[in-house]
Amino acid sequence: MTGRIRVGIGGWVYEPWRGSFYPVGLRQKDELVYVGQHLTATEINATYYSSQKPATFANWAKAMPDGFRFAVKASRYATNRKVLAEAGESIAKFVGQGIAELGDRLGPILWQFMATKRFDPDDFGAFLTLLPASVDGVPLRHALEVRHESFDDPAFLAMAREAGAAVVLADHESYPAIVGHDVGFSYRRLMRTQADEPAGYGPADMERWVEDARRQTERGDVFSFFISGAKERNPAAAQAMIVSLG
C-alpha cells in the first residue's frame, strides 16, 4: 500500500508569520485552523516543555480537517537526561497527559535528543523498551531524532528497527544525516530554509526533497517538516512542497 505524504511546520504561533503566512487581521485563536486549511501536518512543540490538558488536545483535534496529523514532541524530561533507562516515569507522564485525545489526528511522537548525547547501546536499548505501543487504545508511532555522530552506527539502526521506531533524517549543517531502516513510515526535518529564498529552499533542493518523499511512500507514510532555519520562510516552503507534490 502506498503511504501518504504530509507536510508541515513547527508549531503555529510565531509573530513573523502574521501578515506573511497568516492574513492580516486573522485572530490568533484562528491560526491553527488556518494551518489546517493550508498544510497537512504540524509539530506540537509545547509538549516538549510542559504537559497539556486532555481538553486542549481534544480541541486541537476538533479544529483540524480529516487527514491532518499532529506530530507530538516528547517531553524534554524524558530525553534530556544522563541515564535514559531511568526515563520511565517521565515517559509515562508524557504519554498519559491526554495525547490520545488527538485520536486519528495523532501522527508520530518525536523523541529529540541533545546534540551532546552520545550513543550508549545498553542505555539507549533500555530506553527503547520503555516506549509504549499504544495509549488508551490509540496506536503510537515513535521517531528518534539523534544529533550526535556516534549514532551513525549499524548497532543503533538495528536497535531502532527492532523497536519499530523511525530514525529522523535531518537536513542540517551540523547534525548527522542518518538514514534509518524501513519501519513503515518516514520522518524528515528540513532545517536549511534561507531568508533570501521565497520558498525557503531553492528549486533544485526543494525538488530533491519532493522526490525523496515520493520514494519513501513505497514504505509507508511520510512526514516532512520545515523547522528552524529561516523560520519566517517555513510556511512558504511547506506550501511549495505541497504544490510540487500535486
Side-chain angles (χ1 to χ4, degrees):
M1 188 176 75
T2 302
R4 181 164 173 182
I5 301 169
R6 291 181 175 86
V7 183
I9 52 179
W12 54 88
V13 179
Y14 185 57
E15 181 62 39
W17 291 343
R18 293 171 186 146
S20 58
F21 173 48
Y22 298 127
V24 174
L26 184 73
R27 297 178 303 177
Q28 186 172 332
K29 70 175 190 174
D30 294 330
E31 289 175 351
L32 176 58
V33 172
Y34 191 85
V35 167
Q37 291 167 344
H38 293 84
L39 307 177
T40 49
T42 193
E43 278 186 4
I44 299 175
N45 295 318
T47 46
Y48 178 74
Y49 298 101
S50 60
S51 295
Q52 309 295 311
K53 292 182 170 65
T56 300
F57 291 106
N59 288 334
W60 288 341
K62 207 178 301 179
M64 307 316 272
D66 288 346
F68 190 93
R69 293 292 181 271
F70 290 97
V72 185
K73 199 169 182 180
S75 169
R76 56 184 169 161
Y77 299 108
T79 55
N80 295 357
R81 52 172 63 235
K82 187 174 181 182
V83 182
L84 292 172
E86 297 173 356
E89 191 176 325
S90 294
I91 291 172
K93 182 180 178 184
F94 163 74
V95 170
Q97 70 186 290
I99 62 173
E101 295 295 328
L102 291 173
D104 62 6
R105 266 67 165 174
L106 176 61
I109 295 173
L110 175 68
W111 303 88
Q112 183 186 83
F113 299 88
M114 297 176 73
T116 52
K117 189 65 178 176
R118 293 172 172 269
F119 177 46
D120 177 330
D122 292 338
D123 189 40
F124 207 86
F127 174 83
L128 290 177
T129 67
L130 300 173
L131 303 183
S134 64
V135 57
D136 296 337
V138 178
L140 300 179
R141 290 186 285 184
H142 302 287
L144 311 170
E145 186 182 16
V146 292
R147 297 177 159 189
H148 192 276
E149 60 187 10
S150 61
F151 283 90
D152 196 0
D153 182 322
F156 164 66
L157 298 178
M159 192 177 284
R161 180 176 58 181
E162 182 68 24
V167 176
V168 173
L169 178 60
D171 184 34
H172 190 276
E173 59 189 14
S174 56
Y175 303 148
I178 301 176
V179 179
H181 294 297
D182 175 18
V183 294
F185 78 99
S186 306
Y187 200 119
R188 272 73 173 117
R189 298 185 95 231
L190 310 179
M191 297 183 272
R192 292 201 212 215
T193 46
Q194 297 175 18
D196 60 357
E197 287 287 352
Y201 277 74
D205 288 326
M206 180 64 76
E207 186 57 28
R208 183 164 59 90
W209 288 112
V210 166
E211 289 307 313
D212 168 77
R214 286 192 175 119
R215 280 195 306 273
Q216 291 300 319
T217 59
E218 296 173 10
R219 302 177 176 184
D221 291 342
V222 180
F223 296 87
S224 293
F225 293 101
F226 291 90
I227 304 287
S228 190
K231 191 171 176 178
E232 69 276 13
R233 295 294 191 201
N234 289 345
Q239 288 177 295
M241 177 179 264
I242 289 170
V243 169
S244 292
L245 287 165

